[in-house]
Amino acid sequence: MKIAIDAMGGDYAPMEIVKGVEIARDRYPDIEFLLFGTSEQVKPLVKDWSHITLIPTTEVIEMGDEPVKAMRRKKDSSMVRAANAVKAGEADALFSAGNTGALLSSAIFLIGRIKGVDRPALATALPSFAGENDQFVFMDLGANAESKASHLYQYGILGSFYASHVLGINDARVRLLNNGAEEDKGDEVHKIAHQLMKNSQSFNFLGNVEARELLEGTADVVVADGFSGNAALKATEGTALMMLKQIKQAIMQTGLRGKMGGLLLKPAFKDIQKKLDYNEAGGAVILGVNAPVVKTHGSAKANAVANTMGQIKKMIEKNLVPDIRTYIADHKDELQAAKNEL
Amino acid sequence: MKIAIDAMGGDYAPMEIVKGVEIARDRYPDIEFLLFGTSEQVKPLVKDWSHITLIPTTEVIEMGDEPVKAMRRKKDSSMVRAANAVKAGEADALFSAGNTGALLSSAIFLIGRIKGVDRPALATALPSFAGENDQFVFMDLGANAESKASHLYQYGILGSFYASHVLGINDARVRLLNNGAEEDKGDEVHKIAHQLMKNSQSFNFLGNVEARELLEGTADVVVADGFSGNAALKATEGTALMMLKQIKQAIMQTGLRGKMGGLLLKPAFKDIQKKLDYNEAGGAVILGVNAPVVKTHGSAKANAVANTMGQIKKMIEKNLVPDIRTYIADHKDELQAAKNEL
């Protein structure tokens, strides 16, 4: 299998991207890596060229670039060239740690939507701290600021496929992020989405979930509109980071007693931090397009990059995209009915 | 001043409500408390009747009741009677730990909106862990599942008044909760709201804030639509609780070493927990109605109830509602212009 790598995207690109690719190459001997990047910058970084090919590009999409414009204008950028390689069938998947919006645009406009999927969306696996499984799929993380009920309904299908194919969770328990447990909660979009999901034969819908229970493992797939999904994800991340910081600060301020306590608890804190650091395990996936497209955190270092290659490998091996495509094609009447019900 | 108390609302009502009122009575000698509740249940609980009057009621709005229906049908409920007392001028403010939706309905339909305020909203003070002030106002917490841009704009005004009058923060820094820092981020509602707020003379708007920075003290008032505000608040609460639980669990699991560390760090953890436990300091306020209406957490115990009385006292003494009313009346052209711009 071949993965097209945007070697220039991310805070530590191309250095950490190349390092990560080399770790992944040593770890997964069946992957061929196509590195798209500025020759003078990337070439000196590669230590061993086996299973790695450099495709020289001359432009770079910056973090601050306006996504659609950048994708359209910077035709020789590492990201656009990598996306076009996937489109042309020269690679099976696309990896980037760069501009999320531009990657979304490249995925949707270059690689293309799966026929029948109205809005591809961003999904990630978050840790569950209770319940039967260790992780759950959370989507949409913000690909779409405005959502229709039928989009949320489709996320239920996409998320369930990701759960079964990548997380190994069959018959995933799907819930809708809403501001109350009862089915009449929320705005019109969420009320209608709840009804569509409740009546769906495509996945196992268990009702609403409130953001307070997000990490408690009551769902394997949590479907959210991109706006509040983004807010809930960021509030979760921000609070977790703030708590760890506060605890460290409190330890430092309570003198010798605190420092001793902190030292004794170091292994315990490490465990929690590791579980929380879901960015280390892989990236956010753009579900609903014609190939696996994965966005790693902008600040990803080599190890996170390498782990993301493992995640992509799984998506390819398990036939995630072809299986979604087949399912959607076989159930187009059901999907159309969901849209008509609005 | 007189506060109308719904003695029957809340998980520990009427016991903890009455206890809390008695603590508050001893603490604030200038408050008269009107206890609305079922006579046989409330009477035996009151130890000292000074500054406390019982107004017997025969019905109770339950937590599971449909809000508007309950408010309309249970005319002799403790909550509705208490709200009507405020409406009739027999009390200056309304307190309840009961059904939030029913309290919102009672506040809006019985006590009434301030003329010119389109959508009263729920606000609370949350802790800031950095920045110049200890707390910030967060609203709307979910009074309105659907919001227009002009509603968000009005929240900027209401929140700034709460910051100055109750938190003592003048020229409050107002930010809009959005899924990015740039002004073109978000859905249509948030894009337009950003422009309205940016051009407002009524408050000091500093731009967007992402949920990740919510607790970092970069704003004194964070304005959110009720749906994503609710999601961000609950995600924050859920994550904080989960972190504390995980740490406790990790301490227990790491044997003697962990237990010793935990013991040494107990005072440090207590400090953090105290700062996080904002529910203990007061309740959520319904801003935009004709009197202070405060909803304490359903699980509030006596001490939280008593603290909430202090919060209400401040709102009355500082003329919060009259000052909002005057400001809105004096600036009705500006508010109308904001609505016309849509």
Side-chain angles (χ1 to χ4, degrees), chain B residues 5 7 17-18 21 33-37 42 46 49 52-56:
Chain B
I5 311 282
I17 309 297
V18 171
V21 164
F33 299 92
L34 307 182
L35 282 188
F36 292 81
V42 176
V46 180
W49 285 95
I52 296 177
T53 309
L54 174 68
I55 292 103

Side-chain angles (χ1 to χ4, degrees), chain A residues 188 210 212 234 237, chain B residues 146 188 210 212 234 237:
Chain A
E188 278 309 296
E210 293 194 74
R212 196 181 279 117
K234 286 177 181 164
E237 288 181 348
Chain B
E146 324 237 11
E188 278 309 296
E210 293 194 74
R212 196 181 279 116
K234 285 177 181 165
E237 288 180 348

Side-chain angles (χ1 to χ4, degrees), chain A residues 222-269:
Chain A
V222 174
V223 167
D225 71 277
F227 195 88
S228 56
N230 187 277
L233 176 72
K234 286 177 181 164
T236 299
E237 288 181 348
T239 307
L241 282 174
M242 187 276 300
M243 292 279 295
L244 289 171
K245 204 169 130 188
Q246 286 296 310
I247 289 166
K248 275 180 198 159
Q249 210 169 302
I251 288 173
M252 297 316 284
Q253 279 168 357
T254 39
L256 188 62
R257 177 189 175 133
K259 283 192 197 79
M260 276 180 62
L263 214 60
L264 289 165
L265 285 184
K266 216 170 180 178
F269 286 147

Side-chain angles (χ1 to χ4, degrees), chain B residues 22-230:
Chain B
E22 294 212 70
I23 297 172
R25 185 260 330 276
D26 298 341
R27 206 186 279 170
Y28 312 111
D30 51 345
I31 307 181
E32 294 292 324
F33 299 92
L34 307 182
L35 282 188
F36 292 81
T38 310
S39 197
E40 312 84 79
Q41 286 186 60
V42 176
K43 228 175 192 171
L45 298 172
V46 180
K47 294 196 179 110
D48 166 3
W49 285 95
S50 51
H51 299 284
I52 296 177
T53 309
L54 174 68
I55 292 103
T57 53
T58 58
E59 291 176 295
V60 175
I61 293 182
E62 307 290 346
M63 285 301 193
D65 282 356
E66 203 280 299
V68 181
K69 213 183 278 175
M71 187 255 323
R72 293 232 162 100
R73 295 200 183 153
K74 293 187 169 174
K75 291 200 194 305
D76 199 42
S77 63
S78 52
M79 188 191 284
V80 168
R81 288 282 305 277
N84 276 323
V86 175
K87 184 189 181 183
E90 293 154 19
D92 304 298
L94 171 58
F95 165 93
S96 178
N99 185 316
T100 307
L103 187 65
L104 270 163
S105 303
S106 302
I108 294 168
F109 297 114
L110 302 177
I111 297 174
R113 286 186 294 116
I114 290 173
K115 208 187 155 188
V117 173
D118 291 320
R119 293 285 178 97
L122 267 172
T124 199
L126 289 180
S128 291
F129 287 88
E132 47 197 270
N133 296 307
D134 282 350
Q135 291 177 291
F136 70 99
V137 183
F138 189 40
M139 71 186 290
D140 173 28
L141 308 176
N144 306 296
E146 324 237 11
S147 309
K148 290 184 184 167
S150 60
H151 303 154
L152 300 183
Y153 164 76
Q154 291 189 354
Y155 299 165
I157 299 176
L158 298 174
S160 296
F161 268 95
Y162 193 80
S164 63
H165 283 56
V166 181
L167 305 186
I169 301 171
N170 290 316
D171 200 30
R173 300 162 301 159
V174 179
R175 288 188 187 271
L176 175 66
L177 187 73
N178 204 337
N179 59 9
E182 304 81 5
E183 60 181 83
D184 61 342
K185 286 284 178 174
D187 56 9
E188 278 309 296
V189 167
H190 290 83
K191 281 182 200 168
I192 298 169
H194 185 107
Q195 293 307 317
L196 292 177
M197 295 172 90
K198 199 173 101 174
N199 296 320
S200 169
Q201 305 297 316
S202 292
F203 50 84
N204 173 22
F205 184 61
L206 295 189
N208 294 337
V209 61
E210 293 194 74
R212 196 181 279 116
E213 286 91 44
L214 201 55
L215 304 179
E216 288 180 9
T218 60
D220 303 310
V221 175
V222 174
V223 167
D225 71 276
F227 195 88
S228 56
N230 188 277

Side-chain angles (χ1 to χ4, degrees), chain B residues 234-269:
Chain B
K234 285 177 181 165
T236 299
E237 288 180 348
T239 307
L241 282 174
M242 186 277 300
M243 292 279 295
L244 289 171
K245 205 170 131 187
Q246 286 296 310
I247 290 166
K248 275 180 198 159
Q249 210 169 303
I251 288 172
M252 297 316 284
Q253 279 168 356
T254 39
L256 188 61
R257 177 188 175 133
K259 284 192 197 79
M260 275 180 62
L263 215 60
L264 289 165
L265 284 183
K266 217 170 181 177
F269 286 148

